Amino acid sequence: MFDLPNPLRRHFIAAAAAVAVAPLAPRAWSAAAVRPFTLQAGTAPVALVGDPHPPTEAWCFDGKVPGPELRARQGERLRVVVTNRLAEGTTVHWHGLRLPNAMDGVPGLTQAPIAPAGGTFVYEFDLPDAGTYWYHPHSRSFEQVARGLAGVLIVDEPERYRADRDITWALQDWRLTRDAQIAGGFGNMMDRTHAGRIGNTVTVNGVVAESFDVRAGERIRLRLANLAVARIFGLEFQGHRPQVIAYDGQPVAPHEPQGGLLVLGPGERIDVVVDMTGAPGERFAVVDRFYRQNAYELLALAYGKEKPLRARFDAATALPPNPTPEIDLARAARHEIVFAGGMGPGMMGGGGSMGRGPMGGGMRGGGMTGMAWTINGVAVTEDGHAHDPLLTLERGRTVVLAMANDTNWHHPIHLHGHFFRVLTRDGRATRQREWRDTALLAPGEKAEVAFVADNPGDWMFHCHILDHQAAGMMATFRVA
């Protein structure tokens, strides 16, 4: 394991060095019919930790960790030409976007893998929804994402949100050796049957961060994106009161998070408004408290010496809604979904009882080899995308999924190609009108979600702790 001096070694976020202050006023974005980009997947040395440690040999897009932030405007058409310079096949999945099935980036289900050593694929689709999204491979994702292949995609609203700055923090988690290289052991049974591949080093926008420069009296729209393969974040902004304005890119009425903690499972995003109410020269820690025995300071908000920009703040405003089809619960089809398997906490792989119950049901896609999890008693391997769908859904009809996490571990459950509304958790109605594409289920928790199955095709439904996905916790829904 990679030992860092101090709890986490600090390195400044270069992108935050200067505070560019804009007036609190909406601004129209320039329009374009097609927004073109290119991405190249390959290997490159990146300075994750900084001196005196050597660069880390990572897998990344365009030689950067995270990959370049792609930015487009709601209503535009995105075109991305992807070239694969890796020694193995890969794809790009556009996490959270409602797009045509052929553009979803799932090998064996929606496309063939992009061939190694120079193969290309063109992804092109419209962007009906504003929000914070991200992109990553779905080919051996438990390793390719853990080695660094991920980036953020932002779809801007037609008019800019009323804030002084719009900032992204891409959160990534790394398992590094003492010489700052990525440790091997991908897909081992300990990670597959327990909490996944949680690392020992966390980066913000590709570096181990010391501080983030802010100005007293400014308002920041902060987009938090969890690009990790297993780590769950629970962020406390000491001395500040962030207001949540979007989950997974989907607007929600501004509100403070429950318990003051912003919790993001792998794949989840949260947009918040943070008003800088501190005084010039002050510092406030942002602490990750999700794992109670391993809390650490992610970075510090470092106030400059400038005069405060303003003395008071107006209430945070809501984002404009996306054109999400409204659910019709009176005519909804209802399905029970049970997640099972894994090892109990503290157990080592190879023995003991599995989760809260036995591994029931038939194993599909490779028998018991490497399988640890099931959905409705069925385990599907990562290369088994072409199996028969777990559910066939009537196109245009509202679907309610009553999900039960019958395991001892957290699972962020992600549905491709759709947003769903979280209705209840453990039988209690949710406090907010939450639309999401990924829902974190605690051990033993039950949740009801609903969505309109209006996007035709075969869509993945899986745990976004990527070792869990590779070890069976995935399925396919068919919308026809």
Side-chain angles (χ1 to χ4, degrees), residues 125-166:
F125 46 87
D126 294 331
L127 298 169
D129 306 301
T132 304
Y133 306 98
W134 67 297
Y135 60 93
H136 65 84
H138 242 301
S139 182
R140 286 181 54 81
S141 53
F142 66 93
E143 178 174 358
Q144 292 192 7
V145 178
R147 289 188 179 274
L149 279 166
V152 174
L153 168 64
I154 292 175
V155 182
D156 285 303
E157 298 85 15
E159 294 192 346
R160 183 173 176 173
Y161 186 78
R162 300 172 66 89
D164 299 305
R165 284 195 289 165
D166 186 330

Side-chain angles (χ1 to χ4, degrees), residues 70-111:
L70 307 183
R71 198 148 195 156
R73 181 175 176 268
Q74 186 177 15
E76 289 183 332
R77 188 170 183 84
L78 190 72
R79 179 187 297 142
V80 186
V81 180
V82 178
T83 302
N84 180 16
R85 300 293 180 189
L86 298 170
E88 64 185 54
T90 193
T91 64
V92 177
H93 166 59
W94 308 93
H95 185 116
L97 294 178
R98 294 191 296 164
L99 40 57
N101 189 251
M103 297 289 104
D104 197 42
V106 181
L109 185 68
T110 69
Q111 70 172 95

Side-chain angles (χ1 to χ4, degrees), residues 242-257:
Q243 295 280 314
V244 177
I245 58 172
Y247 290 114
D248 291 349
Q250 306 316 305
V252 66
H255 66 278
E256 292 187 33

